[in-house]
Amino acid sequence: MAIDKILVLVELTESGPTATSLELLTAARGLATTVEAASWGPGVAAAAGTIGEYGATTLYDIGDLGGALPGVPVAGALVSVLSTSGASALLIPTSYDGRDIAGRLSAKLNVPVLTNVTGLNNDDGLSTEHPIFGGTQIVHAKFTGTGVGIYVIRAKSFTAEPAGGAAAAVVAAAAPAAGNTGTATIVARHVEERSGPKLDEAAVVVSGGRGLGSANNYAWINDLAKLLNGAAGASRAIVDAGWVPYSHQVGQTGKTVKPTVYLACGISGATQHLVGMKGSKNIIAINKDQEAPIFSVADLGIVGDVNKVVPALIEALKSRG
Amino acid sequence: MLAMNVVVCVKQIPDPAAPQSLEASTNTLNRTGKLIMDDSDAYGVEMALQLVDKAGGGEVTLVSMAANGEVSGLRTALAMGAAKAILVSDDALKGSDALGTAKVLAAAIKRTQFDLILAATESSDGYTGTTPVQLAELLDLPSITFAKSVTIDGSTVKVDRQTEAGYDEVTSPLPAVVTVTAGVVEPRYPSFKGIMAAKSKPVDQVTVADLGLSPSDIGAAGSGQTITKVVDAEARASGEIVVDEGDGAQRIVTFLEGLKLI
Ligand SMILES: Cc1cc2nc3c(=O)[nH]c(=O)nc-3n(C[C@H](O)[C@H](O)[C@H](O)COP(=O)(O)OP(=O)(O)OC[C@H]3O[C@@H](n4cnc5c(N)ncnc54)[C@H](O)[C@@H]3O)c2cc1C
């Protein structure tokens, strides 16, 4: 039996719904008879077309939050949206704000959150998949509480596909007054410069780890990424060490990437790194340690010194023009 | 502020470097062995010590929950310089989910005085990453997650919060809950003196009944979710692993050509 109704929380950027939001709408469409969406920010009404195209019939517009951090006001609004909508499940993208909203809502409704979901099935009710131990095993779980099931779902768990539906009907659903919990305010936003394709959208991702030896050598990763028209990624070790900004991090606490080729240079392949890149179509690894776990997922593994192989690769690609 | 009292939530977890297993009957992580302080929490402890230092007074209190009464992870944080700890320990806590944990931590934190609560963005073993925000909601406090820097200005906390695009400057009145990312500060290693001193620092052990919590709120019963099965993930077909004989770069070029990427 199909699930009656699923509500999807859609996150917006200036260019419309995030990729993960569209993936969740697509997944919800395959599971439920009716899909509805909720979103916030100044651009909700403008996104009704896209959101409808991906399958939602109704779009609850929580509105512009000004400078408030979204967690509290969006969770507050969702409490009434859920009771109006009657949806039995709420899908939330894994993101900074998504996790805040899920946590706030969970405590407000006194229901648990199922997080790090990478698959959804209708198995006599909604059932979830969660990778554990670096993605070597998959836990299947079910929400058994009363009320709405809250699911926080990782990026790239599904492939987004439009269904050609009409624009979603926009329904106002303003956030209630937040009281003391809602006093955290964004006073300034800083956007880091980026050139080339986005890390989580690029067909080629070249990542560097501690094996590069020094922050300066990360220039090789940028060069390779440029030559292959790809994006530059990193292990957490070198993000923590301050070699590159956090936005480059691939893994459990960073981005999930699924490029055509993932090239790992001097990365050991810790389980928390593997969960973020194991889904890549092809994996190439360069590591001087034959026993490095990264080789267990590599299609092509070069046991060698990044100081030799990487500059040689840059030269070889450059000479091809 | 002349004195700053900071509560740090500390989780004691099975050593992530050791092989991990699931308990056969419940399919939950086997936590029966020795537990250590989650590395992710060292950043919160260090941040708290530095904030107290800067304020010129106050102290750092650790709050932790462990079904089996484990204290060794707390001793590590006490050795770094925290003043005392509250440990909620009870068989009934086994199988608690993130919300259940937040209820326990909230009840324990209410027993102490604080201006700020720090936690990691997520634990290394469970990594749900929702407990601190659930805790904030239960305590009726504002929260700022994913801090990459934390400063106190009078009765306001100022945080640089990581975002998809870069970072936001966010402020909140105190008291508040803040989660810190790895790398926010460099955690100190406990000194020999610190390790010796930690042995006699107070660890207040309390039970679920002491906190006045209902058993239906916590443990596996209160978790509202069940694991139906655990299966092996599809393994990747094993690839070609070759030792570089000066031809490594060329092999990569050939591989990329095969995919028509160059
Ligand atoms: C809660 C939690 C979340 C985490 N989240 C993430 C995450 O999102 N992403 C992530 O990446 N990590 C994450 N980690 C950290 C992870 O456990 C590892 O510590 C990290 O991935 C290691 O990074 P690395 O491979 O660069 O460094 P190392 O593990 O130090 O590996 C360096 C590798 O380089 C090789 N090497 C050294 N010199 C050379 C050379 N000259 N030529 C070739 N190879 C060389 C070595 O053989 C080694 O394999 C997380 C950890 C925790 C606890």
Side-chain angles (χ1 to χ4, degrees):
Chain A
M1 222 174 63
I3 292 151
D4 208 29
K5 194 186 272 185
I6 294 180
L7 181 72
V8 176
L9 185 67
V10 171
E11 271 188 281
L12 299 176
T13 65
E14 269 155 33
S15 50
T18 61
T20 315
S21 303
L22 298 180
E23 290 157 17
L24 300 195
L25 286 169
T26 308
R29 222 167 63 210
L31 290 160
T33 315
T34 307
V35 177
E36 296 187 334
S39 192
W40 74 94
V44 175
T50 311
I51 290 170
E53 224 181 300
Y54 280 80
T57 48
T58 302
L59 171 59
Y60 296 93
D61 181 359
I62 297 165
D64 191 0
L65 308 177
L69 272 188
V72 171
V74 173
L78 284 174
V79 172
S80 15
V81 166
L82 283 166
S83 81
T84 314
S85 148
S88 59
L90 169 65
L91 311 186
I92 298 179
T94 299
S95 67
Y96 304 105
D97 292 336
R99 277 187 4 182
D100 280 7
I101 294 163
R104 288 283 174 183
L105 186 63
S106 148
K108 279 182 201 292
L109 298 176
N110 195 26
V111 294
V113 192
L114 280 81
T115 51
N116 290 303
V117 175
T118 56
L120 289 169
N121 305 295
N122 184 356
D123 171 16
D124 222 1
L126 203 54
S127 134
T128 53
E129 297 179 16
H130 313 251
I132 57 163
F133 302 153
T136 51
Q137 289 184 292
I138 310 285
V139 168
H140 290 247
K142 260 187 174 174
F143 167 68
T144 54
T146 42
V148 181
I150 307 173
Y151 305 87
V152 183
I153 298 171
R154 292 195 64 104
K156 300 217 163 49
S157 298
F158 308 98
T159 308
E161 273 165 38
V170 179
V171 176
N180 187 51
T181 55
T183 44
T185 313
I186 302 167
V187 293
R189 296 179 198 265
H190 299 263
V191 176
E192 278 156 8
E193 294 283 332
R194 182 177 52 78
S195 60
K198 280 172 75 175
L199 181 55
D200 46 4
E201 289 170 6
V204 176
V205 172
V206 185
S207 282
R210 192 143 46 191
L212 290 173
S214 76
N216 286 340
N217 290 346
Y218 193 82
W220 291 334
I221 302 300
N222 281 325
D223 286 352
L224 271 182
K226 218 181 231 154
L227 284 162
L228 293 167
N229 194 22
S235 72
R236 175 162 136 183
I238 72 168
V239 171
D240 288 356
W243 296 6
V244 289
Y246 172 78
S247 54
H248 292 262
Q249 185 174 318
V250 172
Q252 181 180 302
T253 36
K255 299 235 161 50
T256 304
V257 300
K258 285 193 177 176
T260 310
V261 171
Y262 188 86
L263 173 53
C265 306
I267 292 180
S268 60
T271 55
Q272 298 93 350
H273 188 80
L274 295 185
V275 291
M277 45 66 76
K278 241 186 110 184
S280 306
K281 284 201 196 70
N282 297 279
I283 297 172
I284 308 175
I286 308 168
N287 195 304
K288 69 174 184 190
D289 174 10
Q290 188 141 12
E291 304 295 317
I294 190 79
F295 287 132
S296 70
V297 297
D299 299 286
L300 174 62
I302 307 291
V303 182
D305 186 348
V306 288
N307 295 291
K308 292 189 185 137
V309 180
V310 173
L313 180 58
I314 292 171
E315 282 318 309
L317 291 171
K318 271 190 184 153
S319 68
R320 299 169 60 92
Chain B
M1 204 171 275
L2 289 173
M4 195 53 208
N5 288 306
V6 185
V7 163
V8 186
C9 302
V10 169
K11 188 169 183 185
Q12 303 178 90
I13 63 168
D15 187 347
Q20 311 272 296
S21 65
L22 298 177
E23 286 196 35
S25 56
T26 58
N27 274 325
T28 53
L29 187 64
N30 186 336
R31 298 173 200 276
T32 50
K34 183 181 150 63
L35 305 177
I36 60 171
M37 177 172 76
D38 187 340
D39 257 353
S40 309
D41 290 327
Y43 303 96
V45 173
E46 179 64 40
M47 190 78 244
L49 292 169
Q50 291 188 12
L51 292 175
V52 167
D53 229 31
K54 256 187 217 139
E59 60 184 19
V60 176
T61 304
L62 311 169
V63 175
S64 188
M65 162 180 132
N68 70 355
E70 181 72 66
V71 292
S72 60
L74 290 174
R75 294 285 174 214
T76 307
L78 291 168
M80 287 173 71
K84 61 186 199 299
I86 304 174
L87 174 66
V88 189
S89 183
D90 205 308
D91 261 353
L93 295 169
K94 269 191 100 175
S96 293
D97 74 332
L99 182 58
T101 305
K103 287 175 184 171
V104 170
L105 295 177
I109 289 170
K110 280 187 188 152
R111 298 161 71 94
T112 181
Q113 284 229 317
F114 62 89
D115 302 296
L116 177 69
I117 300 171
L118 293 180
T121 54
E122 58 186 20
S123 64
S124 302
D125 61 340
Y127 57 95
T128 56
T130 52
T131 303
V133 176
Q134 289 164 323
L135 173 67
E137 181 68 23
L138 295 169
L139 292 171
D140 193 31
L141 294 176
S143 57
I144 309 177
T145 50
F146 291 96
K148 46 184 232 150
S149 100
V150 183
T151 50
I152 304 292
D153 182 4
S155 57
T156 301
V157 57
K158 295 184 166 179
V159 167
D160 287 348
R161 177 182 190 250
Q162 257 164 23
T163 63
E164 259 3 291
Y167 69 96
D168 287 347
E169 288 174 46
V170 184
T171 65
S172 162
L174 293 173
V177 175
V178 173
T179 74
V180 295
T181 58
V184 67
V185 279
E186 189 60 44
R188 70 193 69 183
Y189 287 104
S191 64
F192 178 71
K193 212 172 123 215
I195 293 168
M196 294 314 286
K199 292 191 170 143
S200 55
K201 286 182 176 172
V203 176
D204 182 15
Q205 292 220 24
V206 296
T207 62
V208 168
D210 294 337
L211 296 177
L213 288 168
S214 144
S216 66
D217 275 340
I218 51 156
S223 80
Q225 52 198 291
T226 178
I227 293 173
T228 50
K229 61 180 174 190
V230 180
V231 297
D232 284 337
E234 226 177 283
R236 285 187 74 96
S238 56
E240 189 192 359
I241 312 298
V242 291
V243 176
D244 176 37
E245 310 276 4
D247 58 346
Q250 192 49 49
R251 280 177 185 272
I252 295 173
V253 168
T254 310
F255 189 89
L256 294 172
E257 278 172 347
L259 295 170
K260 303 214 174 350
L261 277 164
I262 51 174

